[in-house]
């Protein structure tokens, strides 16, 4: 007989779906009492080698309320259901529009130019490519003229609407698009030369000033250019920036260096004067892009903030990437950028464009909303819930940029009334219909249909409890928390999460009233509280020690990754290496930090190798270079090899940190482990049992004691 664990794994492998509950409560009332909503993580393009596409494009009737499907190839066909006559459109090429900041240091600009030249060799020959550069002015480069470098120049301070941009670029003429977007095979040499000759922005930057950087106008021109030439076609705007926008619409900070870019403190004190206006400006651009199916990537490399807080919506609403680094001249940027163009076993890009996800449900369910890199298509219908979670009020979402790991959180409401029970053995069904443009330019439709049994929460509560997927539930609740954190105060979000956890423990915990020592959770819920403990301390909800840009970057990745990666982000994985055997996973706890061990911690964003005190001393003394200490050399090498494996596959490439006991970068590890030993309780511990952490954070043990006390309290 299949266990729930096996059932959950099989369904994820086959359908790319993980549900919070795998038996569904049969009434609205019982569903609300379960605390965690009926919800799922869904990966629309999950790679399945055993799922070959049907070899013709989906042919749908173009009448809005018909959409009947016919499966023959013809230039015009009549729909047998509603008699509408439908033309067949040509397939569109892939489009890549590079938007490049030239206010960079010479070394950075050179490295970026080389990465862009490299990327041209990775594009399919028939892909269209374009180039916009900007500093104080914005230049749209003409790619059709041989031998003459010609560009259209826009002032970086003037806000232009789409129509003005298209008129100024002459896009009203039928052949105009070819001036700015050309097939790679036709302009490869020219564009390589053009990129090679790019110079730093020529405008002098006086002492004490920032360069004048017109990012807002550059993006507006890029969005307007694509709107005018290729509406409703898969396209990527790829923005490369080395600092914040400092003039014109969308500016984030002025050019005076003595005025620092806004911090969380400034935002809380309502002292960030450009924040609201800039955010509104970029949101308008993001929505225009999303309507046309165009995604926007941001590659931000600088030592200070670059304005990601204001600009994050450009990528969050269009399914674009955000990559953040210190410099374009680092392997972190170079390798991450190269991975954008990674290919599958068939040699096709692992990227899809212009996706639309539609969710259909059986009548006992309604759709509350989605959380992920998407925008609402405002598709009303009988299965839209009034109880919104995330982006709600619709059954369809636009996901302009997708890859095989893009994962959405979808939330449902059971609407069946308590006094109208569902017959025994009944099943609820949900269908996910994903339409998208494959990177080989075909239009594809992928349909995933799932069903789960209904259960009576009165008589079958233990069955429902054993169907709980605590990993999926933790990630789905975390997404709700992160979504709230975008518009609510941090402490309010933590209180909401705490309340949900207490209610869940009251519902499913076994205990005697007012006796915390009697509290027990069954195996299917036993890890859930510790996920919540680590989530509360994570950079997704704690802004302390993170800039607004860093928080935006972390949240951006959290709401689009699949379950495995999301769990690593919530509760990092820790491996211990020693002379006594192979590496083993150990508790994310200060008790695991021992003098004769090496630790490898994976937080998704960082890979940290930490050498215990004794190991660090031996390494400093150079024992690894002596022939008789070959086993020590191998011990030092083992975590490096394991880290390398992760570094070579993850997107974005993690930051690599090599540190040791007492090292300044040991903080990466110390801030993540459960502080079971702190400077406050050290007297209770022997010296060799781990490392005390200097923190006032509560430990998991204290957190659990409080949770048990509140869960069993008769006054709760």
């Amino acid at each position: 007989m299949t266990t729930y664990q096996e059932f959950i794994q099989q369904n994820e492998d086959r359908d790319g779906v993980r549900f919070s509950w795998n038996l569904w409560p049969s009434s609205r009332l019982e569903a609300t009492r379960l605390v965690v909503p009926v919800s799922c993580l869904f990966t629309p393009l999950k790679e399945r080698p055993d799922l070959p596409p049907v070899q013709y494009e989906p042919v749908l009737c173009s009448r809005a309320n018909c959409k009947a499907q016919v499966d023959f190839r013809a230039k015009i066909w009549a729909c047998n259901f509603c008699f509408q006559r439908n033309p067949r459109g040509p397939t569109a090429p892939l489009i890549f529009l590079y938007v490049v900041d030239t206010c960079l240091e010479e070394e950075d600009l050179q490295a970026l130019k080389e990465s862009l030249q490299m990327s041209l060799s990775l594009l399919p020959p028939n892909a269209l490519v374009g180039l916009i550069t900007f500093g104080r002015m914005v230049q749209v480069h003409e790619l059709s003229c041989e031998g003459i470098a010609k560009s259209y120049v826009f002032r970086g301070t003037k806000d232009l609407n789409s129509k003005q941009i298209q008129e100024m670029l002459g896009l009203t003429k039928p052949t105009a698009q070819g001036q700015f977007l050309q097939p790679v095979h036709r302009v490869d040499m020219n564009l390589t030369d053009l990129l090679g000759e790019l110079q730093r922005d020529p405008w002098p930057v006086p002492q004490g000033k920032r360069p004048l950087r017109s990012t807002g106008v550059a993006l507006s021109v890029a969005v307007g250019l694509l709107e005018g030439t290729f509406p409703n076609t898969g396209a990527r705007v790829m923005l490369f920036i080395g600092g914040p926008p400092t003039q014109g619409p969308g500016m984030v900070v002025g050019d005076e260096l003595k005025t620092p870019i806004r911090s969380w403190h400034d935002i809380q004190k309502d002292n960030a004067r450009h924040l609201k206006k800039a955010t509104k400006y970029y949101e308008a651009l993001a929505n225009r892009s999303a309507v046309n199916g165009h995604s926007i990537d941001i590659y931000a490399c600088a030592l200070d903030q670059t304005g990601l807080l204001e600009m994050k919506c450009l990528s969050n609403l269009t399914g674009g990437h955000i990559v953040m680094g210190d410099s374009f001249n680092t392997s972190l940027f170079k390798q991450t950028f190269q991975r954008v163009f990674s290919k599958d076993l068939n040699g096709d890009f692992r990227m899809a464009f212009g996706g639309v996800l539609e969710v259909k449900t059986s009548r006992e369910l309604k759709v509350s909303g989605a959380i992920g890199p998407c925008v609402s298509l405002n598709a009303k219908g009988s299965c839209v819930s009034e109880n919104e979670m995330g982006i709600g009020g619709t059954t369809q979402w636009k996901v302009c940029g997708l890859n095989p790991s893009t994962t959405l959180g979808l939330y449902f409401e059971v609407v069946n009334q308590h006094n109208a029970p569902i017959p025994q053995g009944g099943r609820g069904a949900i269908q996910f219909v994903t339409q998208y443009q494959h990177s080989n330019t075909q239009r594809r439709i992928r349909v995933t249909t799932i069903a789960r049994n209904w259960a009576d929460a009165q008589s079958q509560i233990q069955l429902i409890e054993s169907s709980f997927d605590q990993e999926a539930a933790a990630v789905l609740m975390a997404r709700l928390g992160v979504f709230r954190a975008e518009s609510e105060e941090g402490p309010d979000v933590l209180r909401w999460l705490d309340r949900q956890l207490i209610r869940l423990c009251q519902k499913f915990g076994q205990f005697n009233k007012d006796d915390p020592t009697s509290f027990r959770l069954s195996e299917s819920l036993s890890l859930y509280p510790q996920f919540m403990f680590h989530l509360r301390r994570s950079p997704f909800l704690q802004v302390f020690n993170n800039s607004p840009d860093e928080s935006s970057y972390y949240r951006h990745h959290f709401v689009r990754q699949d379950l495995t990666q999301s769990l690593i982000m919530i509760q990092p994985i820790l491996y211990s290496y020693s002379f006594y055997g192979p590496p083993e996973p150990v508790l994310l706890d200060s008790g695991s930090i021992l003098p004769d061990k090496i630790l490898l911690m994976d937080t998704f964003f960082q890979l940290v190798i930490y050498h215990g005190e004794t190991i660090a001393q031996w390494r400093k003394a150079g024992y690894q270079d002596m022939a008789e200490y070959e086993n020590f050399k191998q011990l030092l090498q083992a975590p490096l090899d394991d880290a390398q494996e992760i570094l070579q596959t993850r997107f974005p490439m993690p930051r690599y940190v090599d540190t040791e006991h007492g090292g300044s970068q040991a903080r990466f590890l110390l801030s993540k482990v459960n502080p079971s030993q702190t400077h406050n309780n050290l007297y209770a511990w022997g010296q060799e049992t781990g490392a005390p952490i200097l923190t006032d954070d509560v430990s998991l043990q204290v957190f659990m004691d409080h949770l048990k006390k509140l869960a069993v309290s008769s006054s709760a």
Side-chain angles (χ1 to χ4, degrees), residues 19-20 35-42 359 361 365-372 383-385 387-394 397 408-414 430 432 472-483 496 558-559:
F19 270 92
S20 52
V35 186
V36 175
V38 171
S39 47
C40 72
L41 291 164
F42 175 54
V359 178
T361 62
L365 289 164
K366 287 193 175 181
V367 183
S368 293
I371 297 178
C383 56
V384 174
S385 167
N387 174 25
E388 289 190 20
M389 292 186 193
I391 302 161
T394 181
W397 296 265
L408 287 93
L410 292 150
Y411 299 83
F412 302 92
E413 182 182 25
V414 177
I430 298 173
F432 306 98
V475 174
L476 286 156
M477 291 300 276
R479 282 202 187 202
L480 282 172
V482 168
F483 187 83
W496 174 79
F558 184 69
V559 298

Side-chain angles (χ1 to χ4, degrees), residues 403-553:
N403 62 38
S405 67
T406 303
T407 301
L408 287 93
L410 292 150
Y411 299 83
F412 302 92
E413 182 182 25
V414 177
V415 292
N416 202 53
Q417 289 307 319
H418 200 56
N419 54 8
I422 296 166
Q424 275 289 306
R427 306 188 91 192
I430 298 173
Q431 186 174 70
F432 306 98
V433 181
T434 312
Q435 301 185 43
Y436 61 97
Q437 181 185 325
H438 188 271
S439 65
N440 66 11
T441 73
Q442 282 178 345
R443 290 296 306 173
R444 288 191 178 177
I445 296 184
R446 183 160 169 171
V447 181
T448 304
T449 311
I450 64 97
R452 295 289 185 272
N453 289 337
W454 296 105
D456 173 33
Q458 302 287 295
S459 59
Q460 298 174 298
I461 191 67
Q462 271 160 333
L463 283 175
I464 292 175
E465 184 181 346
S466 59
S467 83
F468 185 63
D469 181 344
Q470 55 193 332
E471 294 180 338
V475 174
L476 286 156
M477 291 300 276
R479 282 202 187 202
L480 282 172
V482 168
F483 187 83
R484 281 170 169 255
E486 290 292 305
S487 56
E488 294 177 29
E489 292 289 321
D492 294 344
V493 177
L494 293 180
R495 273 193 291 274
W496 174 79
L497 270 174
D498 288 346
R499 256 197 324 274
Q500 307 306 307
L501 176 59
I502 293 162
R503 285 179 54 215
L504 190 74
C505 289
Q506 287 169 335
K507 173 78 179 169
F508 291 104
Q510 290 161 345
F511 54 85
N512 304 324
K513 273 275 179 232
D514 295 318
D515 177 7
T517 59
S518 66
F519 182 86
R520 297 284 179 277
L521 277 175
S522 68
E523 198 184 342
S524 60
L525 288 107
S526 58
L527 297 175
Y528 187 80
Q530 84 182 40
F531 290 143
M532 291 297 113
F533 168 77
H534 288 291
L535 175 65
R536 292 174 95 266
R537 305 178 77 220
S538 73
F540 312 114
L541 300 180
Q542 295 289 353
V543 299
F544 178 72
N545 257 348
N546 287 314
S547 68
D549 277 15
E550 285 171 318
S551 298
S552 303
Y553 174 66

Side-chain angles (χ1 to χ4, degrees), residues 489-631:
E489 292 289 321
D492 294 344
V493 177
L494 293 180
R495 273 193 291 274
W496 174 79
L497 270 174
D498 288 346
R499 256 197 324 274
Q500 307 306 307
L501 176 59
I502 293 162
R503 285 179 54 215
L504 190 74
C505 289
Q506 287 169 335
K507 173 78 179 169
F508 291 104
Q510 290 161 345
F511 54 85
N512 304 324
K513 273 275 179 232
D514 295 318
D515 177 7
T517 59
S518 66
F519 182 86
R520 297 284 179 277
L521 277 175
S522 68
E523 198 184 342
S524 60
L525 288 107
S526 58
L527 297 175
Y528 187 80
Q530 84 182 40
F531 290 143
M532 291 297 113
F533 168 77
H534 288 291
L535 175 65
R536 292 174 95 266
R537 305 178 77 220
S538 73
F540 312 114
L541 300 180
Q542 295 289 353
V543 299
F544 178 72
N545 257 348
N546 287 314
S547 68
D549 277 15
E550 285 171 318
S551 298
S552 303
Y553 174 66
Y554 292 140
R555 289 172 181 174
H556 160 88
H557 283 287
F558 184 69
V559 298
R560 60 174 53 205
Q561 290 291 346
D562 62 20
L563 178 124
T564 308
Q565 307 302 331
S566 303
L567 273 183
I568 293 172
M569 292 186 206
I570 293 173
Q571 183 175 321
I573 298 175
L574 194 60
Y575 294 98
S576 177
Y577 296 77
S578 72
F579 291 113
Y580 316 118
E584 52 178 0
V586 290
L587 292 175
L588 187 66
D589 191 288
S590 56
S592 300
I593 303 172
L594 297 167
D596 60 344
K597 301 277 168 73
I598 303 175
L599 296 175
L600 169 61
M601 181 177 70
D602 180 4
T603 74
F604 182 84
F605 299 103
Q606 296 108 8
L607 278 180
V608 181
I609 296 181
Y610 173 93
H611 299 84
E613 190 172 6
T614 309
I615 300 274
Q617 287 164 354
W618 291 350
R619 184 167 70 152
K620 206 168 275 175
Y623 284 14
Q624 65 277 15
D625 303 324
M626 302 178 194
E628 64 268 37
Y629 292 106
E630 178 63 28
N631 61 341

Side-chain angles (χ1 to χ4, degrees), residues 89 197-198 214 289 372 395-396 458 494 529 573 588 608 616 651 692 711 716:
E197 287 158 15
L198 276 187
S214 318
S289 274
T395 56
Q396 291 182 23
Q458 302 287 295
L494 293 180
I573 298 175
L588 187 66
V608 181
F651 182 91

